[in-house]
């Protein structure tokens, strides 16, 4: 290639780095990069909103273990993509964002979509740089790709001025050879042997040991070693939301059904790839025992000793390698409690039985005629129907969930036996990730698959509010023929809704329009959590040539689930469920809730 444009150099560098898919939205001047990438065989998935494409690229990095790539325009495109950048930073997902920008000569003049994106994004990324010449493109993209992936994963950013994208190299300009561009997988470090020994001694002396498995363990592909650790030591384990499946949920040592009891009574806790943040109540009382000794294993030194952690007990290193070290050090030991130590397994068993019985009762309670489906009953029907089509043990389904009650309750009902097959709002509690995550999961598991053995059905459980953040991406799903099955769990409101009948809702709507006096229940007009009553979300699928189902009862839900799973096009099932009137607003896994819904 004697003469190359900047767009060709960007596309060629991405191809040589091993990038196979780019998520983005094009416009002047980045459309030229997208077209050149397509010409080189890179799949470009064009979205309807930069938030959704940046969410998709971020979680693609988590699922594949290699950076996701997002391409957007400058100015407002970067502002919208900040949502995915923040999501990647909070969740430690490797993400490379590329954006166009104003031509160099137009800076400070009020050029088209002008913004100092590097200054803006520097606080939110691991690395942000503006390319100054064609010679600089390949090195800048490569370094950004490497930086987002190495160490603690996170987002990086490369700003590409329009004149650089559209510029042409001088004759004789030589591109780096592919072998010099390819970035090898990040180096891995084992734990300090002295700290491994200390952790081993603590576990051996523990009366109530507990293992917590986070999504960092899933990202590290440490499932084989962690399963051997659980089997060898017989220590109960507790997965975080996206740590589910690293050890099968069906394992008898899974303490998810007794989460609060496990945290409150554990005296030594081995934390693998999870942070002591709000999801784990900071490792602090009253959720945790004040006497608990916490052994943190993390790739990031800054996490060691954070909140209730103790720096002297932290182990810095790759989770897979550290687990192998622990296995060797614990080779002659197995947790076999005897009185009074045996009280911990008994407490877990009693708590789990109580909560599982309660959940089972709610799931098996038939819906009375002319009554709303409950969340638990709707999920039971969905799960039973799906399990008849493809047993969950086979791992043929990837679950995406977002929303408050929709996500919380689903966590304990849909089991996983395989890692990286549950995606949800994550550390940032981000609403609007659902549609982007569906597309990313399809690209990660299906787009390049030639055989059916690795094919996954993507199933989303969306709150009606959460779905609205990115609902137009249904058209993207239809355009790329992604046969996702999407349930909109519709209670006509944010969190729990506030009315049970259409007439009651219309009364509140009329009060809002007329600024009428306060109603008998002390409320006036639509609440801040109100949404349009029984919105027909399923029509978004039918308008794009997909399938839509409006569901009010158990029989309709079973039919929609069966047909939607077998469909080869995008399917939206609009499930009308009970408004949870009078319930406390909040996430079950955030506040002072009991075990019944506080399952991670």
């Amino acid at each position: 290639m004697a003469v190359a444009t900047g767009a060709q150099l960007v596309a060629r560098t991405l191809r040589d780095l091993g990038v196979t898919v780019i998520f983005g939205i094009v416009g002047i001047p980045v459309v030229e990069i997208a077209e050149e990438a397509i010409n080189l065989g890179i799949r470009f998935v064009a979205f309807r909103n930069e938030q959704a494409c940046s969410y998709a690229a971020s979680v693609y990095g988590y699922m594949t273990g290699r950076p996701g790539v997002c391409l957007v325009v400058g100015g407002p495109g970067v502002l919208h993509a900040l949502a995915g950048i923040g999501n990647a930073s909070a969740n430690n997902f490797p993400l490379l964002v590329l954006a166009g920008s104003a031509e160099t000569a137009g800076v400070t003049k009020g050029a088209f979509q002008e913004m100092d994106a590097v200054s803006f994004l520097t606080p939110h990324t691991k690395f942000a740089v503006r390319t100054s010449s064609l010679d600089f493109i390949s090195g800048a993209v490569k370094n950004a790709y490497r930086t987002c992936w190495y160490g603690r994963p996170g987002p990086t950013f490369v700003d590409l001025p329009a004149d650089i994208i559209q510029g042409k190299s001088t004759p004789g300009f030589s591109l780096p050879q592919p072998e010099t561009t390819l970035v090898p997988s990040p180096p891995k470090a084992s734990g300090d042997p002295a700290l491994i020994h200390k952790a081993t001694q603590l576990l051996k002396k523990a009366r109530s040991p507990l293992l917590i498995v986070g999504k960092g363990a899933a990202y590290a592909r440490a499932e084989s070693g962690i399963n051997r650790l659980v089997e060898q030591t017989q220590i109960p384990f507790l997965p975080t939301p996206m740590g589910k499946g690293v050890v099968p949920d069906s394992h008898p040592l899974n303490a998810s059904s007794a989460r609060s009891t496990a945290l409150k009574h554990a005296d030594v806790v081995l934390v693998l790839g999870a942070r002591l943040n709000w999801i784990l109540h900071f490792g602090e009382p009253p959720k945790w025992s004040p006497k608990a000794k916490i052994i943190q294993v993390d790739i990031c030194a800054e996490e060691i000793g954070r909140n209730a952690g103790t720096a002297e007990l932290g182990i810095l290193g790759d989770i897979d390698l550290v687990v192998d070290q622990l296995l060797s050090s614990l080779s002659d030991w197995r947790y076999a409690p005897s009185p009074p130590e045996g009280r911990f397994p008994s407490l877990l068993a009693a708590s789990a039985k109580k909560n599982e019985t309660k959940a089972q009762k709610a799931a098996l309670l038939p819906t009375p005629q002319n009554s709303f489906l409950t969340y638990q009953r709707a999920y039971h029907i969905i799960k039973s129907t799906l399990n008849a089509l493809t047993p969950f043990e086979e791992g043929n389904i990837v679950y995406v969930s977002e929303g408050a009650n929709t996500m919380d309750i689903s966590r304990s009902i849909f089991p996983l036996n395989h890692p990286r097959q549950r995606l949800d709002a994550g550390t940032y509690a981000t609403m609007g990730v659902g549609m982007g995550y569906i597309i990313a999961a399809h690209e990660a598991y299906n787009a390049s698959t030639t055989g059916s053995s690795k094919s996954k059905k993507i199933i989303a459980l969306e709150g009606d509010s959460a779905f609205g953040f990115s609902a137009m991406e249904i058209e993207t799903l239809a355009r790329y023929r992604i046969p996702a099955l999407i349930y909109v769990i519709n209670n006509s409101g944010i969190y729990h809704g506030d009315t049970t009948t259409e007439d009651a809702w219309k009364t509140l709507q009329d009060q809002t329009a007329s600024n009428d006096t306060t109603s008998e229940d002390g409320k006036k007009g639509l609440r801040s959590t109100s949404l349009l009553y029984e919105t027909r979300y399923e029509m978004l699928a039918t308008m794009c040539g997909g399938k839509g189902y409006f569901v009010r009862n158990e029989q309709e839900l079973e039919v929609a689930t069966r047909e939607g799973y077998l469909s080869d096009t995008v399917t939206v099932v609009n499930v009308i469920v009970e408004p949870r009137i009078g319930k406390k607003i909040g996430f079950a896994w955030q506040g002072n809730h009991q075990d019944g819904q506080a399952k991670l």
Side-chain angles (χ1 to χ4, degrees):
M1 186 186 296
V3 176
T5 66
Q8 290 171 328
L9 294 176
V10 174
R12 165 72 183 270
T13 301
L14 293 173
R15 192 271 311 272
D16 293 346
L17 285 168
V19 173
T20 58
V21 59
I22 299 171
F23 305 91
I25 295 182
V26 297
I28 298 172
V30 298
V31 63
E32 298 174 33
I33 296 174
E35 292 299 315
E36 293 295 343
I38 293 170
N39 292 341
L40 291 175
I42 298 175
R43 184 172 167 90
F44 186 85
V45 182
F47 284 70
R48 302 298 296 263
N49 183 284
E50 286 95 356
Q51 290 184 21
C53 69
S54 62
Y55 291 145
S58 68
V59 86
Y60 180 84
Y62 164 74
M63 285 185 288
T64 63
R66 297 184 65 89
V69 178
C70 178
L71 177 66
V72 296
V73 298
V78 171
L79 289 172
H80 294 165
L82 179 62
I85 290 171
N87 192 62
S89 181
N91 288 286
N92 300 148
F93 294 156
L95 169 67
L96 169 59
V97 177
L98 307 173
S101 64
E103 62 276 8
T104 306
V107 173
T108 75
K109 291 183 176 181
F112 176 68
Q113 295 186 334
E114 180 185 348
M115 184 179 75
D116 184 358
V118 171
S119 296
F120 176 67
L121 292 178
T122 293
H124 306 286
T125 59
K126 294 180 67 180
F127 174 87
V129 65
R130 179 179 172 90
T131 54
S132 56
S133 68
L134 270 69
D135 293 340
F136 188 43
I137 285 177
S138 182
V141 172
K142 177 180 177 179
N143 283 327
Y145 185 89
R146 180 187 57 81
T147 302
C148 78
W149 194 16
Y150 280 33
R152 183 179 189 170
T156 57
F157 174 72
V158 178
D159 183 283
L160 299 161
D163 52 311
I164 302 297
I165 292 174
Q166 297 165 348
K168 294 183 179 180
S169 64
T170 58
F173 174 85
S174 60
L175 287 166
Q177 293 301 307
E179 59 267 23
T180 64
T181 307
L182 183 66
V183 175
S185 297
K188 298 180 179 181
S190 297
D192 182 337
L195 295 176
I196 296 291
H197 177 73
K198 181 183 286 190
T200 299
Q201 295 308 306
L202 280 174
L203 289 168
K204 286 182 176 180
K205 294 175 183 178
R207 294 185 173 188
S208 308
L210 180 67
L211 171 64
I212 291 182
V213 183
K215 68 174 177 287
Y219 177 78
R221 271 59 179 171
E223 53 266 23
S224 177
I226 294 175
N227 273 272
R228 285 186 284 123
L229 182 66
V230 170
E231 290 297 333
Q232 179 176 304
T233 65
Q234 291 294 292
I235 297 175
F237 70 93
L238 180 69
T240 63
M242 285 172 60
K244 286 171 66 68
V246 170
V247 183
D249 281 343
S250 57
H251 197 287
L253 290 172
N254 185 359
S256 291
S257 295
R259 178 181 183 272
S260 295
T261 300
L263 292 177
K264 191 174 184 65
H265 293 278
D267 61 350
V268 177
V269 184
L270 176 61
V271 182
L272 299 175
R275 285 172 285 173
L276 297 178
N277 57 19
W278 67 279
I279 292 179
L280 287 175
H281 314 289
F282 313 106
E284 299 171 349
K287 288 292 186 178
W288 291 60
S289 166
K291 298 180 180 180
K293 297 183 185 302
I294 303 173
I295 306 166
Q296 295 171 272
V297 180
D298 205 286
I299 197 174
C300 177
E302 288 83 354
E303 286 300 325
I304 304 299
R306 189 180 184 194
N307 296 328
T310 304
E312 290 79 6
L313 300 182
I315 301 174
L316 183 66
D318 176 77
I319 293 170
D320 200 24
L321 296 182
V322 170
V323 167
D324 281 344
Q325 290 175 286
L326 290 170
L327 278 165
S328 297
S329 190
L330 292 167
S331 61
D332 60 347
W333 177 80
R334 171 177 288 211
Y335 176 51
S338 58
E341 292 88 345
R343 184 167 172 261
F344 185 55
S346 299
L347 283 172
L348 294 180
S351 180
K353 182 178 180 180
K354 174 185 175 182
N355 293 318
E356 288 169 1
T357 299
K358 181 180 178 181
Q360 186 79 344
K361 181 179 179 181
L364 296 179
L365 184 65
T367 307
Q369 190 173 6
N370 298 323
S371 295
F372 286 106
L373 285 161
T374 64
Y375 286 86
Q376 291 85 352
R377 185 60 178 169
Y379 285 159
H380 174 73
I381 293 167
I382 294 169
K383 182 178 75 171
S384 300
T385 306
L386 291 175
N387 199 48
L389 294 165
T390 176
F392 81 90
E393 295 87 355
E394 296 179 2
N396 294 326
I397 292 176
V398 176
Y399 290 100
V400 175
S401 66
E402 60 174 333
N405 298 308
T406 298
M407 180 173 61
D408 292 341
I409 299 171
S410 73
R411 283 188 174 132
S412 61
I413 292 179
F414 294 91
L416 287 183
N417 269 18
H418 303 271
R420 298 172 296 280
Q421 291 185 206
R422 180 181 177 85
L423 310 174
D424 65 21
T427 304
Y428 230 23
T430 309
M431 295 298 106
V433 297
M435 299 302 104
Y437 278 16
I438 291 171
I439 295 166
H442 175 81
E443 293 300 315
Y445 290 114
N446 298 331
S448 60
T449 299
T450 55
S452 60
S453 60
K454 294 183 179 180
S455 180
K456 310 290 183 187
K457 185 74 174 183
I458 317 300
I459 292 180
L461 302 162
E462 297 277 312
D464 50 343
S465 171
F467 179 67
F469 281 73
S470 58
M472 266 311 297
E473 302 303 336
I474 292 291
E475 188 273 334
T476 308
L477 291 163
R479 188 173 1 116
Y480 289 96
R481 299 183 179 180
I482 298 174
L485 172 54
I486 301 163
Y487 295 91
V488 179
I489 310 301
N490 187 353
N491 64 359
S492 302
I494 300 172
Y495 293 109
H496 50 58
D498 61 358
T499 185
T500 57
T501 67
E502 184 173 10
D503 288 342
W505 187 89
K506 286 182 177 178
T507 297
L508 294 175
Q509 191 180 31
D510 290 342
Q511 291 174 350
T512 300
S514 63
N515 197 25
D516 201 353
T517 57
T518 304
S519 59
E520 292 181 3
D521 62 0
K523 296 181 179 180
K524 181 170 67 175
L526 294 172
R527 313 314 302 166
S528 62
T529 56
S530 298
L531 296 175
L532 188 67
Y533 189 77
E534 296 189 1
T535 303
R536 299 299 296 268
Y537 296 109
E538 78 281 0
M539 293 183 179
L540 286 170
T542 58
M543 78 175 186
C544 298
K547 293 184 177 180
Y549 297 84
F550 184 70
V551 167
R552 284 181 170 276
N553 59 51
E554 297 183 7
Q555 294 73 28
E556 292 171 345
L557 180 55
E558 182 179 346
V559 170
T561 297
R562 185 181 305 108
E563 294 182 0
Y565 181 85
L566 298 173
S567 173
D568 61 356
T569 187
V570 61
T571 300
V572 174
V573 182
N574 188 7
V575 187
I576 305 301
V577 297
E578 61 170 355
R580 297 172 64 83
I581 298 170
K583 300 293 183 180
K584 182 179 179 180
I585 290 180
F587 295 106
W589 30 281
Q590 179 183 16
N592 295 319
H593 294 257
Q594 298 301 312
D595 278 331
Q597 288 185 17
K599 298 188 178 75
L600 297 181

